[in-house]
Each structure stands twice: as C-alpha cells, then as structure tokens.
Amino acid sequence: SVVAFSFSPASAEDNQLAAADTVCSLFTSKVNTAVYNFQAKHAAHLRYYDDQRQDLDILVSKLNKKGIDAAELRADLVLFDLKMEKFKEDKTEVVNNLNDAKTHKCAKENAQSGASGSSAALALKTVKEDAPDLLSFLNNNIKSDVESLRNE
C-alpha cells in the first residue's frame, strides 16, 4: 500500500509573519537588555548622589547646631534636588521611549518605532548631559561653599 503525504509549503504570508516575529523577538531582547543596563547604571549614579545629599544634610544640621549660617549651602541643596529630579525624569523618558519603540516595532508600526527610537536617543543625550552637570555642581558649587564655611 502507498502512503500519501500531504505537504503544503508555507505561504509567503506565513514566512513573512514568522520573520516579523523573529525580528520582534530579537528587537525586544535587545531593548530589554539596553533598558536593564541603563537602569542599573542610573541607579548607581542615584545612590552616589543620594549619599552625597545625605552627607550634606548632616553637615547643614551640624553647622546650624554650632550657630553657623548655612543658608547658602541650603540653597545649593535645593538646586541640587531640582537637578536630581530632572535627572530622574529624563531617565524615565528614556525608558518609556525605548519601551514604546519595542511596542511599535512588534505591532508592525515601524515608522512609529523609528520615532520612538529617535526620541529615546535624544532623551539619552539629555541624561548623559545631566550626570556630569550634577557632578560638576557637587564638585564646584557645593564643595566651594562647604570650604568657605569651614574657613569662617
């Protein structure tokens, strides 16, 4: 007896869908890795800045107890807090734009994916400018104010 096999090659549409799923999967994996690495680096920066902020709070309290006017240092801390808040907001924008790009890429909205990717790149540039700005503010403004208070 003869056994007949029914073989129907995949249609072009099936091949396109499989290829799109593969691209989506690879893109999603790359974006997830990028987001994870970015958030880990950002968290390390925030820990450092938070530690510096806490040390400065302690110093201001000690200066106040000694009767030394630390108004200028307190004003610096307010500005530092605003800069940190901007740093956090910009980080959130990067992550959101990357996740939007991933969503649009997998939803076959490649034009929208490109726009989200461009937005993420611009937001990342802003974050990369924020970090040195925070460090510079700490090292230049706040350090000089602390030194001038110590010299009084």
Side-chain angles (χ1 to χ4, degrees):
S1 82
V2 176
V3 177
F5 288 101
S6 170
F7 178 75
S8 61
S11 69
E13 186 178 319
D14 290 340
N15 288 339
Q16 287 176 342
L17 288 174
D21 287 344
T22 301
V23 168
C24 176
S25 178
L26 290 171
F27 187 75
T28 298
S29 176
K30 285 184 178 189
V31 168
N32 289 343
T33 300
V35 167
Y36 176 81
N37 291 339
F38 176 71
Q39 288 179 320
K41 190 172 188 178
H42 192 268
H45 283 185
L46 284 179
R47 278 191 303 275
Y48 174 75
Y49 297 137
D50 284 337
D51 290 346
Q52 297 300 312
R53 176 69 170 86
Q54 288 175 1
D55 291 347
L56 290 167
D57 272 339
I58 292 167
L59 178 62
V60 167
S61 294
K62 286 180 180 180
L63 292 171
N64 286 335
K65 286 180 185 175
K66 291 181 180 181
I68 299 173
D69 181 24
E72 192 171 334
L73 191 55
R74 277 194 303 276
D76 284 345
L77 288 176
V78 169
L79 187 54
F80 185 71
D81 287 342
L82 291 172
K83 288 178 178 286
M84 285 217 10
E85 193 58 39
K86 181 180 181 311
F87 186 57
K88 291 175 187 177
E89 289 170 1
D90 291 343
K91 173 253 180 189
T92 301
E93 185 177 347
V94 170
V95 171
N96 289 343
N97 285 332
L98 285 171
N99 286 329
D100 285 348
K102 178 176 57 176
T103 301
H104 293 301
K105 182 80 163 183
C106 292
K108 317 298 185 272
E109 300 169 12
N110 287 333
Q112 188 68 22
S113 168
S116 296
S118 297
S119 298
L122 288 173
L124 180 59
K125 182 180 176 192
T126 303
V127 170
K128 287 184 175 184
E129 292 167 356
D130 290 347
D133 182 43
L134 271 166
L135 193 57
S136 173
F137 187 75
L138 264 175
N139 289 332
N140 298 329
N141 297 47
I142 293 178
K143 236 182 196 178
S144 67
D145 288 347
V146 169
E147 289 299 319
S148 68
L149 285 171
R150 284 188 178 145
N151 293 334
E152 285 182 5

